[in-house]
Amino acid sequence: MRPVPWTYFLIRILFRFVLKIFYGTIVVQGVENIPQTGRPCIVCANHTNSLTDALILVTAIPSRIRNMLHLTAKSTQFGKKTFTSWLIEAAGTVPIQRRKDFADGMINNDAAMAKLTQTLEMGGAVCLFPEGASRYHPTIAPLKTGVARIVSAMLSRNRHNDEFEISILTCSITYMNRQHFRSDVLVTFHPPFTFRPKDNPELIEPVKYDHIRLVTAQMHRQIATGTFDAPSWGLIRAAKMATPIYAPLGTAMSLGDYVRVTRTFLEVFKAGHLPDPSTSSMGSSDSEVSAQSQDEKVVKLKEDLQAYQSELHLLRIRDDRIRRPLSRSVIVYRMILRLSWASLLLFISLGGLALWLPVATTTFYAVHNFKKTGPVWDTWDEIAQYKLVYGLVSGLCVYAGAVVLTLPIFPVTSVAVPLLMWMSLRWFEDAVSAARAFVALGRLLRVETATLARLRATRADLHHRVMRLAVHGIGLPADPENYFVAYGGKDKGRVVGRWTSKAKYFSVRRRRKRDWNETLHLYEQFDYPSEDT
């Protein structure tokens, strides 16, 4: 094996730090499925967030398991006098030519394939995004067959070596709100597909194209099982609305549990029918309901959830405020508490926020200008990348400037500055959360009593129908609040207990969110464009 370049170590350390600041939590599942260093492996993932996807994978794979992940990127990102271009080249990334990037459509990837093949022959791991391009869309694009063809080429080169094996490690990356500060990410590594010449002679050249397509289809299905994959944003909205109705905010669900429950609803709404209508008990107690009638109920529930969610968004209030009705006196009392707490936290975080101001200003200006370069569907997948890169550069400049200005006591400030910035971020995050609750309660006061009564009746009906679908239709637990406490995933779940919460207040692993869709905003954010593109 070749030694790992020092620049790769630097990039991994820097962006592990930056990603932990930008995203509230990055949960990694299935680490035990990653093949060890020395076993050739192709890592494949869905591609919705441009360069950020690659950085997530580089930092998510523990160095004790794989010492390096060789990346690939479109050739047009190389050779530019930009930090992003240097970053890509310094990480040892292999350039891939795409037909759409050249006017004549003529490309030559022989050198790139030779580099990837050489890396795999030496037991390395390469990363490919088989969708072919980063895209901001609710569904996974049809996968290119390049990964399967590389596997076929490797098996053919080693056809006389019965001990040779190569793996395809699929990965699903799910962003709650991919471009928003302090949102959350789930990274799921699936069990790898392992190929050997003696076990897979059908992939040894000459190979039929059907076998290549079969491997590609298996990859697609496995990646789709770990993330949200739908033909429209409306289906994802309906599924995300069904989840908090089934498991109310505050339920001790890990991020993995939340994604799996939401995806379960999404698959039913996407299909428009139950997984197995013959075994469903959603019908009345007096007679069996036909499969067609059950399908109509599923479609009607999806439409009603979308309508309910749209009305809540229009009023700028959340489902939790409808679920738990409050008297006006209690609302006013809570508004006073939330405003007082937000003001106190904001006051004590002002010193650190002064250091954050140049970072926020630089990032906002860069993203604002970038959005002007193209339509929403062509720019949204790169917003997080711009925020990360410009945030990193401006943050390093702030740190260096603070140390230079306090040179006589730089041993103190070199530690105190990042500590102050981290603590102020925690305080500011809680201040925004308290201010968001204050604003939401204020909106709740302005909603007419008759409107609230109608919304509560609508929610009660939706809750009854969602629970019937969840429990009797798709087999989810009947008591989610207790079930997920006892049997749910433990990966970076919400901290339980007053003492534990205080002791881990500033921990990187600390979780205080009641809602996995929460971001550092005064209002709820949606991870999709306004138009259904």
Side-chain angles (χ1 to χ4, degrees), residues 42-107:
I42 304 176
V43 180
C44 304
N46 54 312
H47 200 18
T48 62
N49 210 1
S50 193
L51 178 61
T52 308
D53 291 332
L55 295 173
I56 287 281
L57 290 176
V58 166
T59 57
I61 297 178
S63 57
R64 69 180 187 276
I65 299 179
R66 301 255 21 155
N67 58 1
M68 184 174 182
L69 179 64
H70 294 76
L71 304 175
T72 56
K74 58 185 178 182
S75 59
T76 54
Q77 291 185 323
F78 291 75
K80 297 181 180 179
K81 295 180 180 180
T82 63
F83 178 76
T84 302
S85 182
W86 173 85
L87 176 71
I88 292 172
E89 294 176 19
T93 306
V94 178
I96 301 292
Q97 296 182 0
R98 304 184 305 175
R99 294 187 186 279
K100 68 177 184 179
D101 295 330
F102 296 87
D104 58 3
M106 299 297 292
I107 61 174

Side-chain angles (χ1 to χ4, degrees), residues 121 152-164 196-201 203-207:
E121 287 280 11
S152 175
M154 292 298 298
L155 292 177
S156 300
R157 288 167 61 98
N158 294 271
R159 68 178 70 205
H160 301 301
N161 182 3
D162 291 339
E163 302 302 319
F164 176 81
R196 301 179 182 86
K198 62 180 180 180
D199 297 332
N200 304 98
L203 293 176
I204 296 177
E205 297 173 352
V207 59

